[in-house]
Amino acid sequence: MADSLRISMIQSHIIWEDRSENLGYYGELLRRVSGKTDIAVLPETFTTGFSMEVEKLADTMNGETIPTIKNWAKTYDMAIIGSFIAEENGAYYNRAFFITPEGEEYYYDKRHLFRMAGEDKHFSAGDKRVIVNYKNWNICLQVCYDLRFPVWSRNVKNEYDLLVYVANWPEPRKKVWKALLQARAIENMAYVCGVNRVGIDGKGFVYHGDSMVFSPKGKKLADAGKREEITRTCTLQKDELDDLRTKFPVWKDEDSFQLL
């Protein structure tokens, strides 16, 4: 297993409802960390912003978005994580992706839809967790509102090493964002990376970023603050995680449960 894993948080604004402009913009941000990272993480719905105009904005799996990301991953030699509005068989999903430089692709559909914005009326919910093995690290993908639901992210028998949240998390609830990212790291004894956007969206909601990485002990390892167009890279150490799980094996006393 690789001893270390470099993960980069790509924190920036999102051009409202303009896929082509965002693809060009974020492609340049990714170019800046080429050769300097193993994984780059983009915000939730990075091509459109958190819009409910799904019929107008959704992309198919063979559309512009995924081929572009696959080209980035290959060209810049990094895995890329984020989410976009996907259309498949007449349904719409807030779909997270994990694309590797070798062209491997994995997808997770957001399970918990944010009803306060009407997401549940426009999108279909996913029902399967996705854990990706990359460079022999097990990485669990989740999206924004999923952060509030600890049962869905529960790390049963240490099945993952890194939990990643991509988000459009508004500024008024920034304290909740910070507290829950840290809590997910501690309770699951895993690294946690949360990447949020900045700026103001088309509906006037303000986002202050605060993209962060926490250690399995809840120590903040990286913080992007509120800055625009920042690419903050953090190196995770597998031996430190293994050592903690061996010396302090709380996972052996976890409660068993069945998710319905």
Side-chain angles (χ1 to χ4, degrees):
M1 176 170 288
D3 291 332
S4 62
L5 186 74
R6 298 170 299 171
I7 187 165
S8 296
M9 302 179 291
I10 311 298
Q11 176 176 289
S12 192
H13 73 280
I14 298 173
I15 303 161
W16 187 247
E17 296 183 348
D18 195 328
R19 180 190 306 123
S20 294
E21 285 294 322
N22 283 306
L23 287 173
Y25 175 64
Y26 275 89
E28 171 58 24
L29 294 180
L30 289 168
R31 184 191 63 79
R32 298 179 190 178
V33 294
S34 177
K36 303 174 183 177
T37 194
D38 299 305
I39 300 175
V41 186
L42 310 177
E44 176 188 23
T45 55
F46 83 101
T47 57
T48 59
F50 191 58
S51 174
M52 299 300 112
E53 296 290 336
V54 295
E55 293 86 357
K56 178 178 74 173
L57 300 174
D59 203 1
T60 65
M61 300 305 291
N62 297 315
E64 186 178 13
T65 303
I66 295 303
T68 299
I69 296 167
K70 292 176 75 171
N71 182 60
W72 289 340
K74 180 179 179 180
T75 301
Y76 300 142
D77 191 26
M78 66 178 77
I80 302 173
I81 299 173
S83 90
F84 74 110
I85 302 174
E87 185 275 325
E88 191 169 50
N89 299 323
Y92 301 94
Y93 301 92
N94 188 337
R95 179 162 288 173
F97 54 82
F98 188 113
I99 308 293
T100 76
E102 296 75 28
E104 297 172 311
E105 47 195 293
Y106 306 89
Y107 299 99
Y108 162 71
D109 294 329
K110 184 178 182 182
R111 175 178 171 88
H112 298 96
L113 302 177
F114 191 56
R115 68 175 61 248
M116 285 69 86
E119 189 179 17
D120 58 318
K121 294 180 172 59
H122 299 278
F123 290 80
S124 295
D127 60 2
K128 294 180 177 62
R129 285 210 321 181
V130 173
I131 297 175
V132 178
N133 183 271
Y134 183 65
K135 293 185 177 292
N136 289 319
W137 284 68
N138 292 318
I139 303 166
C140 183
L141 305 181
Q142 306 237 323
V143 179
C144 202
Y145 192 42
D146 287 331
L147 179 60
R148 288 183 177 267
F149 301 92
V151 174
W152 185 238
S153 67
R154 187 62 181 150
N155 194 8
V156 180
K157 305 301 180 187
N158 295 329
E159 60 188 341
Y160 64 76
D161 308 305
L162 168 63
L163 178 59
V164 177
Y165 289 95
V166 299
N168 277 209
W169 196 284
E171 188 274 338
R173 295 184 288 278
K174 63 182 180 181
K175 289 185 179 179
V176 176
W177 165 255
K178 297 175 184 179
L180 292 182
L181 286 174
Q182 185 180 43
R184 296 296 89 85
I186 295 169
E187 71 193 8
N188 291 305
M189 202 165 280
Y191 290 101
V192 170
C193 173
V195 174
N196 192 27
R197 64 162 292 177
V198 296
I200 303 174
D201 71 14
K203 294 189 175 181
F205 292 104
V206 178
Y207 303 85
H208 278 182
D210 293 316
S211 300
M212 298 180 179
V213 177
F214 285 96
S215 79
K217 291 183 178 180
K219 179 182 178 181
K220 189 191 300 181
L221 300 178
D223 186 344
K226 299 172 177 57
R227 283 170 287 179
E228 170 77 18
E229 291 188 358
I230 188 169
T231 55
R232 177 63 61 83
T233 301
C234 179
T235 300
L236 312 182
Q237 301 295 340
K238 187 62 173 60
D239 57 349
E240 294 180 8
L241 174 62
D242 291 339
D243 186 58
L244 175 62
R245 287 172 170 175
T246 299
K247 291 181 177 178
F248 198 69
V250 296
W251 55 274
K252 292 185 178 180
D253 299 313
E254 65 190 16
D255 298 309
S256 62
F257 64 91
Q258 182 176 4
L259 189 66
L260 302 177

